Amino acid sequence: ILEPNCDAQTEEREMVGIDKVSNHSISLFSGGGIGDLGIEYGAKIPIIAFCEVDKNRRKLLSNNYPDAKIFADISEEKKNIIKFAKSKLEGKRPLMITMSPPCQGMSTNGKGRLNKGKQDKVDKKNSLILPALQIVNSLEPEIILIENVPQMATTEIPLRGKMENLLKIIKRRLKKYRLESVKMDFQD
C-alpha cells in the first residue's frame, strides 16, 4: 500500500494546486475485476477504467462494469489511460489506483512447478509494472494498492543493463509515496 508522504508533498500541492481528489479508482492488470468488487461495491469508489490484456477477461469486465472504459495492453495504452483519466476526472486526481501485476514469473508455481522448468530465467511480464508506475506518477492518486505474491519482494528485473529488486524500483520511482509492504494470508 502506498500513500503520499504528506510532509514532502504539502508545500508542493499548495504551489501547483493539485489537492483536488476525485472519489474514483483506476484498476491496472485487472484480471476479471473480481478483486475490484470490494472497491466498487464495498467501498463505494467507482472504477472509471480497467486495463487487462486478456480478451476474455476484458469481455467480463465490460459486462460487470458497463460504465467503465476498458483498455488492453498497458505497454501500448499507457498514454491513452492517462489521457482518458485526466479528461474523465476533469483535472482532479484519482483517489486510488489498484494493480495486480502478472505473478507467473514470481510465484513458486509460475517459476517452474506448473511449467516443468520451461520458464525463462527472467520473465518479461515482471517488467510490466514499469508502465504502471509511469501512469501512477502522471495521475498522482492519493492511494496506490499493489497486490501480488510474497515473492514479489525478492524478484529482480533487468533495468539499465543490470538486475534490480522490484520493490526498490517501486520505492525509487514512487518517492512521493510511503511504501508499506504487508504479507496477508487470505485462507484465514
Side-chain angles (χ1 to χ4, degrees), residues 27-32 50-59 61 70-77 102 104 125 128:
S27 173
L28 306 175
F29 312 106
S30 309
F50 292 88
C51 185
E52 172 54 45
V53 72
D54 184 89
K55 182 174 88 170
N56 292 323
R57 292 176 185 165
R58 285 196 310 272
K59 184 176 179 182
L61 288 166
I70 314 294
F71 295 92
D73 188 325
I74 194 164
S75 298
E76 296 173 5
E77 301 243 46
Q104 296 91 333
K125 287 182 267 186
L128 287 172

Side-chain angles (χ1 to χ4, degrees), residues 93-112:
R93 299 180 303 119
L95 176 63
M96 179 182 291
I97 292 181
T98 61
M99 56 182 100
S100 186
C103 67
Q104 296 91 333
M106 302 177 216
S107 71
T108 53
N109 282 339
K111 280 185 154 178

Side-chain angles (χ1 to χ4, degrees), residues 29 73-75 101-102 124-133 157:
F29 312 106
D73 188 325
I74 194 164
S75 298
K124 293 175 184 158
K125 287 182 267 186
N126 293 347
S127 296
L128 287 172
I129 195 158
L130 297 177
L133 299 179
I157 62 171

Side-chain angles (χ1 to χ4, degrees), residues 36-51:
D36 296 301
L37 290 171
I39 305 293
E40 176 97 7
Y41 299 104
K44 307 283 190 237
I45 302 170
I47 302 170
I48 61 165
F50 292 88
C51 185

Side-chain angles (χ1 to χ4, degrees), residues 1-6 9 141-144 176-180:
I1 298 172
L2 296 140
E3 50 190 23
N5 180 344
C6 295
Q9 287 191 335
E142 194 67 18
I143 300 166
I144 306 156
K176 292 181 180 180
Y177 292 87
R178 184 187 73 204
L179 173 64
E180 184 177 327

Side-chain angles (χ1 to χ4, degrees), residues 113-152:
R113 279 189 16 205
L114 294 178
N115 295 318
K116 308 222 184 317
K118 295 178 185 173
Q119 187 79 12
D120 291 333
K121 186 175 181 179
V122 176
D123 191 321
K124 293 175 184 158
K125 287 182 267 186
N126 293 347
S127 296
L128 287 172
I129 195 158
L130 297 177
L133 299 179
Q134 291 173 317
I135 292 169
V136 167
N137 274 326
S138 180
L139 298 178
E140 297 183 306
E142 194 67 18
I143 300 166
I144 306 156
L145 175 65
I146 304 173
E147 176 278 328
N148 215 297
V149 296
Q151 292 84 356
M152 182 181 194

